[in-house]
Amino acid sequence: MKSKEPKKAFDLVCLHAEGGPQMVPCRMERSPRVKRMQIQIHRERFVVLKLPQREAAAHGRRFLEENGEWICRTLARQPRILSLREHLQRHPRLSLAGHWYQLEWASGSKGSCYLVEDKRRRVCLTLSGGGSGEGATVALLRRIARDFLPPRLLELARNHGLKAHGVTIRDQKSRWGSCSETGGISLNWRLILLSPTLQDHVLLHEMAHLNHFDHSRAFHAFLESLDPQATRNARALQAASPRIIHLGRTAS
């Protein structure tokens, strides 16, 4: 859905905590809407310092140092982000073509691949040489997403008399999908890790932008016509997103 992706530039700031000095990734952001300095701790274990437009960077660094103990304690309490493999071991299923498919693993020597059994609603992943690398797992799931998400979106579009001008699968950092002014839709490959209901909700949300390129009342009314449970699904998506949206970030 439409939200701004975080920037990637970070500085390492040395902060003093009870256990000694710690190097903490931090990014400073200036905004005319910010009246006083604010510290945000992100789930991915980095800090964003919001600064008023004219605030000196030196004042920001001093503010971080003054709050160093609190920052380090808060970072330490952040839950460890699971690897994609760990998540799949706990939740061995993928959302494909509007249904859950049970996930199974196999090993092989002819490259990574997957096999879908529609009758049994089962998908078997094979990693080359029995490898368990995070990068190989991410690559294989992105391939599955490219094969299954566009047909699902086009099927829903036909059911509702809509037409998307191209569907691409991407690795968005903070959003599930987006719709361009020309009608092109981009989808996050991690949608196959959401439930079929929430996956369809995201697809319908982006398709609603084909008629209303905003989040006006008219947009939400149209979305409700496509997805009568849109409000409930949006709340469920918000609750599920922190567990899913960061998976696969540690792939090497």
Side-chain angles (χ1 to χ4, degrees):
M1 298 185 181
K2 300 171 67 177
S3 62
K4 190 175 181 180
E5 295 189 18
K7 300 174 183 177
K8 297 181 180 180
F10 292 96
D11 292 320
L12 289 177
V13 179
C14 183
L15 301 179
H16 293 276
E18 294 179 359
Q22 296 185 29
M23 300 301 292
V24 175
C26 179
R27 182 175 70 237
M28 293 188 183
E29 295 181 355
R30 299 182 184 276
S31 171
R33 296 190 297 271
V34 174
K35 302 304 180 183
R36 57 181 181 274
M37 290 184 285
Q38 304 170 10
I39 295 173
Q40 298 177 350
I41 309 294
H42 282 249
R43 179 182 173 87
E44 291 182 272
R45 296 178 180 270
F46 66 85
V47 175
V48 172
L49 176 62
K50 299 280 189 176
L51 293 170
Q53 197 69 39
R54 298 181 180 275
E55 191 74 49
H59 294 168
R61 286 191 290 271
R62 186 161 58 248
F63 186 64
L64 289 171
E65 292 167 359
E66 291 170 353
N67 291 276
E69 289 192 12
W70 173 80
I71 291 172
C72 293
R73 285 198 307 270
T74 304
L75 286 171
R77 289 197 297 267
Q78 293 295 309
R80 184 177 69 87
I81 298 174
L82 295 178
S83 70
L84 179 59
R85 285 296 294 261
E86 288 173 324
H87 172 82
L88 293 175
Q89 288 167 359
R90 296 186 183 190
H91 308 281
R93 57 187 184 178
L94 298 178
S95 177
L96 309 176
H99 301 283
W100 278 123
Y101 278 62
Q102 189 68 24
L103 180 62
E104 297 182 1
W105 296 88
S107 59
S109 58
K110 296 183 179 180
S112 299
C113 62
Y114 73 92
L115 176 66
V116 173
E117 296 183 29
D118 288 317
K119 289 185 178 180
R120 300 178 61 183
R121 288 187 182 164
R122 184 178 70 170
V123 55
C124 182
L125 305 187
T126 301
L127 296 182
S128 179
S132 58
E134 184 81 344
T137 306
V138 170
L140 188 53
L141 262 62
R142 290 186 69 170
R143 189 194 311 174
I144 295 173
R146 285 195 299 269
D147 291 342
F148 278 86
L149 289 177
R152 181 60 179 172
L153 185 141
L154 295 176
E155 177 187 1
L156 293 174
R158 287 193 299 271
N159 292 343
H160 294 283
L162 298 170
K163 184 177 181 180
H165 298 283
V167 185
T168 58
I169 306 303
R170 299 179 58 201
D171 184 27
Q172 293 99 322
K173 296 293 187 292
S174 64
R175 55 186 175 183
W176 289 109
S178 62
C179 179
S180 71
E181 293 183 0
T182 59
I185 292 178
S186 295
L187 300 174
N188 192 319
W189 66 265
R190 296 169 184 83
L191 284 166
I192 63 175
L193 303 174
L194 291 175
S195 71
T197 298
L198 296 186
Q199 182 187 111
D200 283 354
H201 169 71
V202 173
L203 303 187
L204 292 170
H205 180 110
E206 299 310 330
M207 285 190 289
H209 284 303
L210 296 171
N211 284 14
H212 301 277
F213 196 68
D214 53 26
H215 286 103
S216 62
R217 290 184 180 180
F219 164 82
H220 286 289
F222 183 58
L223 177 57
E224 290 280 351
S225 73
L226 304 177
D227 178 11
Q229 300 299 321
T231 301
R232 185 180 69 180
N233 289 335
R235 287 196 297 265
L237 179 65
Q238 185 176 18
S241 290
R243 302 192 305 272
I244 307 295
I245 198 70
H246 302 293
L247 291 173
R249 302 280 178 222
T250 60
S252 57

